[in-house]
Every structure is written in structure tokens, then in C-alpha cells.
């Protein structure tokens, strides 16, 4: 099952993390999908930031991931980054129109947070093309 007449459709979004050396020279047709576009300027900047972060925080040598062709950004961390980024934009947008206050909430009581519905609406309004700077305090 390792020759030109075989076709494979992989359902993993991280195919580049697998060793496919056995299929390389036998003209096997392999199809897969990818969530992360490593050619994107934003992705390259994130990879560069990861390299800087590991250098400063973990005291490891700085790896210039920005220019490494074999750099792999797996789907799970990319999706986690996207979800935190969207949440931060939604929360920052909510803060511009509402006064955010902290309050204790109990799981035993049915008290809801006043800004919850607005936050959900702001999260839904964030699009994948939104490029917004997040302000940290």
C-alpha cells in the first residue's frame, strides 16, 4: 500500500508532524488539510515572539523560529491562541462600553453576570480578519 496507485486522505490537521519518509519516493498521493498558514505574516510574527519568549523566560538560547523552514505550529496551540485572542478582543471591546466590576459568583446560586450577554455578542462580532492591538494593563 505504498505505491503510486494508492491515495490517502488524512484527517489530522498536523500532518507535517508525522514521519512520512516511507511515502516520499513512491509517488503515493497524500491529501491533508491545514489550519495554520505558516507563510502568513502574522503567524511568522507569533513564531518569532515564541522564540523570544522561550529565550527570556526559560533561559534557553534564542531560536530564530521566524526563519526556520522546518518550524511547525500545531493546530491545538494555534486554536488556543485564536480563542484567547478573540476573548481578549471581546473583553476589551466590552470594557469600552461597560464598566467592568468583579463580583463573587457561586455555582449554587442562579445569579448571572450582567455583562455576560454583551460579552457573547462582542465575541461573536470578532471576525478572523480582525487585526486589533490588545492593550494590557
Amino acid at each position: 500500500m505504498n505505491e503510486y496507485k494508492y491515495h490517502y486522505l488524512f484527517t489530522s490537521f498536523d500532518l507535517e508532524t508525522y514521519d512520512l519518509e516511507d511515502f516520499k519516493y513512491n509517488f503515493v498521493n497524500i491529501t491533508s488539510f491545514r489550519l495554520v498558514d505558516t507563510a502568513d505574516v502574522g503567524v511568522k510574527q507569533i513564531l518569532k515572539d515564541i522564540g523570544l519568549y522561550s529565550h527570556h523566560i526559560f533561559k534557553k538560547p534564542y531560536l530564530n523560529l521566524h526563519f526556520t523552514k522546518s518550524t511547525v505550529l500545531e493546530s491545538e496551540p494555534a486554536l488556543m491562541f485564536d480563542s484567547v485572542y478573540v476573548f481578549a478582543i471581546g473583553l476589551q471591546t466590552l470594557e469600552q462600553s461597560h464598566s467592568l466590576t468583579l463580583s463573587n459568583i457561586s455555582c449554587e446560586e442562579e445569579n448571572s453576570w450582567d455583562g455576560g450577554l454583551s460579552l457573547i455578542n462582542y465575541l461573536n462580532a470578532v471576525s478572523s480578519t480582525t487585526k486589533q492591538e490588545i492593550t494590557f494593563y
Side-chain angles (χ1 to χ4, degrees):
M1 295 178 61
N2 189 9
E3 52 189 50
Y4 71 93
K5 62 184 176 181
Y6 288 95
H7 304 272
Y8 293 98
L9 173 64
F10 284 85
T11 57
S12 170
F13 290 118
D14 297 319
L15 185 63
E16 64 269 11
T17 62
Y18 295 100
D19 180 19
L20 300 174
E21 189 69 27
D22 293 340
F23 299 96
K24 191 172 184 178
Y25 303 105
N26 295 330
F27 302 104
V28 174
N29 184 350
I30 296 176
T31 304
S32 179
F33 299 97
R34 185 179 210 181
L35 293 178
V36 180
D37 180 10
T38 55
D40 182 65
V41 175
V43 173
K44 287 182 179 181
Q45 182 61 44
I46 291 167
L47 291 172
K48 183 178 179 184
D49 292 344
I50 290 171
L52 287 171
Y53 178 79
S54 67
H55 172 68
H56 292 294
I57 301 301
F58 300 116
K59 307 297 183 209
K60 292 182 179 177
Y62 174 68
L63 300 173
N64 193 351
L65 297 174
H66 185 66
F67 297 108
T68 305
K69 292 187 182 226
S70 63
T71 300
V72 175
L73 181 59
E74 293 181 17
S75 297
E76 187 175 342
L79 291 170
M80 181 61 71
F81 176 88
D82 287 348
S83 63
V84 170
Y85 183 76
V86 167
F87 186 77
I89 291 173
L91 198 57
Q92 188 171 17
T93 309
L94 175 68
E95 185 181 41
Q96 293 171 359
S97 62
H98 292 78
S99 175
L100 297 180
T101 57
L102 297 175
S103 61
N104 292 330
I105 298 177
S106 171
C107 293
E108 297 171 1
E109 299 175 15
E110 293 187 22
N111 297 335
S112 61
W113 179 48
D114 295 335
L117 185 58
S118 296
L119 178 60
I120 295 288
N121 291 331
Y122 285 124
L123 292 176
N124 288 331
V126 176
S127 72
S128 62
T129 59
T130 302
K131 301 292 182 195
Q132 184 172 340
E133 193 67 32
I134 301 172
T135 306
F136 296 100
Y137 298 101

